[in-house]
Amino acid sequence: MNVVSTITNRVTRLSPLLFIYSLLYYKGLSFTKNPSYINSFVHTIVLLSWLSLSYDNIKYVIPWSQSYYIVDSMVSAYVLTKPLLLNGYNTITNKLRKSDRHIVPTGHIGFMLHHFVVLYLLHTIQIRSHILMPFTTVYYPIECSNLFLQISYFMFQKYGTLHPISKTMLGIEIMGYGYIRLVTLLKLLLQYWSILPFSLRLCAVFIYSLGVFWTSKLCLQFKKNICKKNIKDIKKE
């Protein structure tokens, strides 16, 4: 009962920020297929602005980040369950044909798992104040690395994935994101490893592993795209 009460109180306190992110998502639907990136970009920019002024602003950043991850988790849950519900309904009503089956975007499972881990981290940091500053020192470069992903996404939306500008941006993304997530983050984790409780060590390993996985995925995408030509270029030839 105490857990439910704590969660309810926390969500109530975050309700203004939750409303802001929900509104941004709703408005983003009018000009992009994936408005989650709008929320992600706004979250990162505001977070980096606050922490650039002073790392002491982490006390304001934590609720800002918690609100973002809660809303984005709700979006991922909706995107995951919608095709399952539609397939179930069509099966019950005998309307489901193989060609009409809705595909479940399983990639959102990874997003939700990541968000739950980060929410646990943010909650734990609030309780264990002695690791607040070390966490901030790690959190700042992690969010800087996300800027490379967000800018690349907008480039891909505007030019397509095979445009020379997009290919160049993908290369920059790999170097920037990869260096921060694989090199900088590893140095920081080794520096603060001794003061982390066991649960946060597990979370840290999970977050670092995601960085390795995503960097590898970006490299494979770059290798694939660099070998392809833009349709416009093919027509010119």
Side-chain angles (χ1 to χ4, degrees):
M1 190 65 182
N2 290 334
V3 175
V4 175
S5 177
T6 301
I7 294 175
T8 303
N9 291 336
R10 190 62 188 163
V11 171
T12 302
R13 292 178 183 178
L14 294 175
S15 55
L17 295 176
L18 295 173
F19 173 77
I20 291 173
Y21 279 118
S22 300
L23 185 63
L24 282 172
Y25 183 86
Y26 174 75
K27 292 296 184 182
L29 288 169
S30 60
F31 55 87
T32 179
K33 295 179 181 178
N34 192 353
S36 293
Y37 274 90
I38 302 294
N39 277 3
S40 177
F41 183 69
V42 172
H43 166 253
T44 299
I45 291 298
V46 173
L47 181 152
L48 293 178
S49 298
W50 267 335
L51 293 184
S52 294
L53 294 173
S54 173
Y55 274 11
D56 292 332
N57 288 331
I58 187 64
K59 58 185 177 228
Y60 306 118
V61 166
I62 288 179
W64 175 252
S65 292
Q66 288 174 326
S67 301
Y68 163 70
Y69 287 114
I70 289 172
V71 170
D72 206 56
S73 296
M74 293 171 63
V75 171
S76 293
Y78 169 76
V79 172
L80 274 171
T81 56
K82 182 180 178 180
L84 291 173
L85 293 174
L86 290 173
N87 289 338
Y89 172 78
N90 290 333
T91 300
I92 294 172
T93 56
N94 296 320
K95 295 181 180 179
L96 183 66
R97 292 177 297 180
K98 191 172 182 179
S99 58
D100 296 332
R101 182 175 292 276
H102 297 273
I103 299 174
V104 180
T106 53
H108 282 270
I109 297 175
F111 287 135
M112 290 183 67
L113 185 57
H114 167 268
H115 291 358
F116 291 154
V117 169
V118 176
L119 284 169
Y120 174 77
L121 272 170
L122 293 170
H123 174 70
T124 305
I125 295 304
Q126 287 180 306
I127 299 172
R128 301 173 183 267
S129 58
H130 68 286
I131 53 177
L132 187 61
M133 280 301 111
F135 169 79
T136 308
T137 306
V138 175
Y139 198 32
Y140 186 86
I142 285 180
E143 285 302 322
C144 287
S145 72
N146 288 337
L147 277 178
F148 290 97
L149 303 180
Q150 295 151 0
I151 294 172
S152 293
Y153 172 79
F154 292 124
M155 289 293 183
F156 297 159
Q157 290 289 300
K158 184 174 182 179
Y159 298 106
T161 56
L162 300 181
H163 193 280
I165 293 178
S166 297
K167 290 180 179 180
T168 302
M169 189 61 224
L170 181 58
I172 295 172
E173 178 184 2
I174 292 171
M175 290 185 289
Y177 177 87
Y179 180 80
I180 293 173
R181 289 298 184 116
L182 303 185
V183 180
T184 304
L185 184 55
L186 180 60
K187 290 180 180 178
L188 291 171
L189 289 180
L190 292 176
Q191 180 180 345
Y192 297 120
W193 189 258
S194 61
I195 65 173
L196 294 178
F198 179 73
S199 60
L200 292 192
R201 289 182 180 181
L202 290 178
C203 292
V205 170
F206 174 77
I207 297 296
Y208 186 81
S209 300
L210 282 182
V212 174
F213 168 78
W214 197 256
T215 303
S216 302
K217 188 175 180 179
L218 290 174
C219 290
L220 291 175
Q221 183 182 350
F222 182 77
K223 181 181 178 182
K224 181 179 178 181
N225 290 357
I226 207 70
C227 296
K228 289 185 177 181
K229 289 187 176 181
N230 198 339
I231 295 176
K232 293 181 180 178
D233 296 334
I234 295 175
K235 288 181 178 179
K236 288 180 182 179
E237 293 176 1

